[in-house]
Amino acid sequence: MAATVEELYRNYGILADAKEDLSKHKDAYQVILDGVKGGPKEKRLAAQFIPKFFSSFPELADAAINAQLDLCEDEDVSIRRQAIKELPRFASGENLPRVADILTQLLQTDDSAEFNQVNTALISIFKIDAKGTLGGLFSQILQGEDVVRERAIKFLSTKLKTMPDDAMTKEVEDYIFIETKKVLEDVTGEEFVLLMRILSGLKSMQTVSGRQQLVELVVEQAFLEQALNPSDSDSVDRLLQCTRQALPLFSKNVHSTRFVTYFCEFVLPNLSLLTSPVAELDIQLEVLKLLAEMSPYCGDMDKLEVNLNMLFEKLLEFMPLPPEEENGENAANEEPKLQFSYVECLLFSFHQLGKKLPDFLIDKISAEKLKDFKIRLQYFARGLQVYIRQLRVALQGKTGDALKTEENKIKVVALKITNNINVLIKDLFHNPPSYKSTVTLSWKPVQKTETAAAAIGQKRQSGEDIGPTATTKKLPTNLPRRDARQIYNPPSGKYSASIGNFSYEQRGGFRGGRGRGFGGRGNRSRGRIY
């Protein structure tokens, strides 16, 4: 039988006046519990009174929690919010994991104010018992409904970093690592990104050994022990996402060797066959950019010469031979395209790995092939110098807002790319080839010292004396001598289409729910009963 408002107030008075003799008034507390069966007014009072005396009646603990839970599921949103607000008062001892579990399930609400109330309650009990709260969260992540799982993971990815240090002990961080590994056994792409963000933010993961552990987790997800099926967009997507997550972890002590080796052995040979998981993504350029970023952190490689040769052959594909000339005129109607974006990535990767085998261009390839390579380098460098000169003229005197137009942004990026290629080509034209120069990839932020050095270097160079192939010979009319319209656009069709992908921020993970491909590890059921 439901209690009335008057009965609730009367029994509340009995309990409030009892002070130390509360346990003798079990019947009065039962009347308050029965308030959940009344109307809106009775329920609101019950939501406040039940938690106030909860700790004094351990034998009614289950009944009290269930009564409060009924209020958390009430049709009246104001009653739900009041009940949720009071839930942390039940979170003591062995009840805390249960309360955490309940609150985690309540994350599925679509009411924004209620959702915020649940978040606040979870944070509150986390500060009381972090490990117990995590137990409830991970229980729902592993076994709960999809919407609950998704929101619980997002809660951890956004809120853990805000928790006080005294709550995030080593024991708590170890528990997070162990439970997250369980979750990683079956995840979507978006979940994988969020879980890696959670782990990467842990203090214990900031050491060399910690970051190495994270790389091992990514390696497991990337399936590097299997050959890549280039026509399977899900497999390609998995590799891209895993590589992006591993990139920030690499350093001089945490090597990228397994990823670089895999790219050389399985990705580069199939570069033109790769199926993009996203229509607007230039998949070939994206892969080459990832390889370039990883290459400085590659350690000792078992098949260095073989992999370096694969990289060399792929570089040749994007560095055309000069057109044949007949009677002093070019026989071809169309000049080869100079795909600067691709060449920057491949040349940088070759330059990095070449340091490990400096005699590659001297002893590991034939004299004929070396001659062919230098002809390609020379032709590319000549076109490069013309284009650098045109870009500098186009950008001369432009500052501030003028450089922020889309047109000028493209030119600035193009100038970075061409300057980088120029520096690397100069190194390779040394006899013997040198691998000492350093450049910052065009899509990466430039360090202040490098910016200053670049500025000084530009002042010392002119368009005529840039590069190893400076010559007074007149260029053929069809070498990169562009009309005014073409100057404002990158000189290759591939190049212009890819400019939009230069933002390093893209590396953060999935956009628009591109989370396919990671769920194949198991058949995690949907819509579980819990």
Side-chain angles (χ1 to χ4, degrees):
M1 180 177 168
T4 64
V5 171
E6 291 75 15
E7 289 175 325
L8 287 172
Y9 273 119
R10 185 171 64 252
N11 284 280
Y12 174 84
I14 292 171
L15 294 175
D17 294 339
K19 297 182 179 179
E20 297 180 1
D21 296 328
L22 274 171
S23 58
K24 297 178 180 179
H25 300 283
K26 181 178 176 181
D27 291 343
Y29 191 59
Q30 184 62 58
V31 171
I32 290 175
L33 295 182
D34 291 339
V36 302
K37 301 172 186 176
K41 293 181 180 179
E42 288 80 9
K43 289 178 180 178
R44 288 192 187 92
L45 287 174
Q48 299 174 57
F49 295 169
I50 292 173
K52 184 172 181 63
F53 302 107
F54 169 73
S55 60
S56 299
F57 300 96
E59 68 276 19
L60 293 176
D62 284 345
I65 293 175
N66 288 333
Q68 195 77 4
L69 183 55
D70 287 342
L71 297 175
C72 291
E73 298 173 343
D74 196 82
E75 293 181 358
D76 188 327
V77 67
S78 65
I79 293 173
R80 294 201 305 269
R81 291 177 191 169
Q82 180 64 45
I84 291 168
K85 180 181 178 182
E86 301 291 346
L87 266 182
R89 299 179 69 173
F90 295 85
S92 59
E94 61 185 19
N95 294 318
L96 189 139
R98 183 182 176 188
V99 173
D101 191 280
I102 293 168
L103 284 168
T104 305
Q105 293 180 65
L106 292 172
L107 285 170
Q108 64 189 296
T109 180
D110 292 324
D111 180 87
S112 59
E114 187 177 346
F115 180 78
N116 291 335
Q117 192 73 61
V118 174
N119 273 266
T120 301
L122 275 170
I123 292 171
S124 175
I125 66 171
F126 192 100
K127 294 175 181 178
I128 298 171
D129 182 352
K131 191 173 179 181
T133 305
L134 288 166
L137 283 159
F138 277 109
S139 173
Q140 287 301 316
I141 290 172
L142 289 166
Q143 302 175 38
E145 296 278 2
D146 276 359
V147 65
V148 175
R149 173 187 171 97
E150 175 189 339
R151 293 184 181 181
I153 291 175
K154 286 183 178 177
F155 173 86
L156 289 175
S157 70
T158 57
K159 303 300 182 184
L160 277 184
K161 58 190 176 186
T162 67
M163 296 301 175
D165 289 342
D166 58 350
M168 295 295 291
T169 63
K170 185 179 185 305
E171 180 186 5
V172 168
E173 291 199 347
D174 289 346
Y175 181 76
I176 292 171
F177 186 81
I178 292 169
E179 293 301 307
T180 301
K181 284 186 68 175
K182 295 177 185 176
V183 180
L184 282 170
E185 292 176 6
D186 178 20
V187 290
T188 66
E190 185 176 5
E191 289 172 346
F192 172 65
V193 171
L194 291 175
L195 291 167
M196 288 303 300
R197 186 180 299 167
I198 291 168
L199 293 180
S200 299
L202 300 179
K203 293 192 297 290
S204 56
M205 293 294 110
Q206 306 312 308
T207 62
V208 170
S209 61
R211 294 196 171 270
Q212 188 61 56
Q213 288 183 72
L214 293 180
V215 170
E216 296 299 328
L217 286 181
V218 180
V219 167
E220 290 178 15
Q221 289 291 321
F223 290 173
L224 297 186
E225 74 282 358
Q226 299 178 9
L228 179 69
N229 179 359
S231 62
D232 181 2
S233 61
D234 284 351
S235 296
V236 174
D237 196 27
R238 175 190 288 271
L239 179 62
L240 291 181
Q241 292 305 328
C242 288
T243 307
R244 289 182 186 127
Q245 293 306 307
L247 263 176
L249 304 172
F250 296 139
S251 67
K252 64 179 181 179
N253 297 313
V254 181
H255 295 155
S256 60
T257 312
R258 278 178 289 183
F259 280 91
V260 173
T261 298
Y262 190 86
F263 271 56
C264 290
E265 292 183 359
F266 297 107
V267 182
L268 289 183
N270 297 299
L271 189 63
S272 62
L273 303 176
L274 293 175
T275 304
S276 175
V278 181
E280 67 272 14
L281 180 69
D282 183 340
I283 187 65
Q284 295 189 50
L285 180 58
E286 184 69 9
V287 162
L288 294 179
K289 286 167 71 176
L290 289 172
L291 176 59
E293 287 195 60
M294 292 189 291
S295 59
Y297 308 112
C298 184
D300 295 334
M301 188 180 284
D302 291 338
K303 302 177 182 177
L304 177 58
E305 184 179 338
V306 173
N307 292 330
L308 195 55
N309 190 64
M310 170 53 67
L311 195 52
F312 177 73
E313 293 294 336
K314 190 57 62 175
L315 176 60
L316 292 182
E317 290 182 23
F318 290 95
M319 299 198 75
L321 283 166
E324 295 180 5
E325 295 183 3
E326 294 180 2
N327 301 323
E329 295 183 3
N330 197 293
N333 292 324
E334 183 180 349
E335 64 180 81
K337 292 181 179 179
L338 305 183
Q339 300 187 45
F340 294 131
S341 301
Y342 288 57
V343 171
E344 179 196 17
C345 298
L346 286 164
L347 206 55
F348 183 87
S349 300
F350 180 79
H351 192 268
Q352 292 296 318
L353 295 189
K355 294 176 183 177
K356 301 178 181 299
L357 192 62
D359 62 346
F360 177 81
L361 291 174
I362 303 171
D363 298 332
K364 306 302 181 182
I365 61 173
S366 66
E368 183 179 345
K369 181 161 280 191
L370 179 59
K371 180 181 177 182
D372 172 83
F373 181 51
K374 289 199 171 184
I375 290 173
R376 293 172 188 266
L377 281 179
Q378 185 174 23
Y379 174 70
F380 205 96
R382 289 166 66 192
L384 191 71
Q385 291 160 28
V386 172
Y387 193 54
I388 288 175
R389 189 161 60 247
Q390 292 172 340
L391 285 169
R392 286 182 177 166
V393 169
L395 292 171
Q396 189 172 9
K398 290 184 173 63
T399 58
D401 292 338
L403 290 175
K404 294 179 182 179
T405 65
E406 286 306 311
E407 184 179 306
N408 285 331
K409 282 181 181 178
I410 290 175
K411 293 177 196 170
V412 170
V413 173
L415 188 57
K416 289 179 182 178
I417 294 171
T418 48
N419 279 330
N420 283 348
I421 297 173
N422 184 64
V423 170
L424 297 174
I425 286 179
K426 286 176 68 177
D427 254 18
L428 296 182
F429 254 98
H430 284 147
N431 190 16
S434 170
Y435 299 92
K436 295 180 180 179
S437 294
T438 59
V439 299
T440 299
L441 290 164
S442 58
W443 61 92
K444 297 286 291 289
V446 181
Q447 302 298 323
K448 289 183 179 179
T449 52
E450 293 172 349
T451 305
I456 293 171
Q458 287 185 16
K459 289 177 183 177
R460 291 177 180 173
Q461 297 174 331
S462 67
E464 287 73 25
D465 61 17
I466 294 171
T469 58
T471 175
T472 57
K473 179 182 176 182
K474 184 178 179 180
L475 292 173
T477 56
N478 70 327
L479 252 172
R481 184 161 296 189
R482 318 284 174 180
D483 59 36
R485 180 183 60 79
Q486 288 172 316
I487 290 176
Y488 294 114
N489 290 285
S492 162
K494 286 277 188 183
Y495 186 105
S496 57
S498 64
I499 282 292
N501 291 329
F502 275 104
S503 172
Y504 188 66
E505 296 301 317
Q506 277 196 352
R507 303 296 172 96
F510 283 79
R511 296 283 190 274
R514 287 171 18 215
R516 300 179 303 132
F518 285 70
R521 306 204 97 171
N523 294 314
R524 180 163 61 83
S525 65
R526 302 301 186 184
R528 287 188 182 86
I529 297 173
Y530 57 97

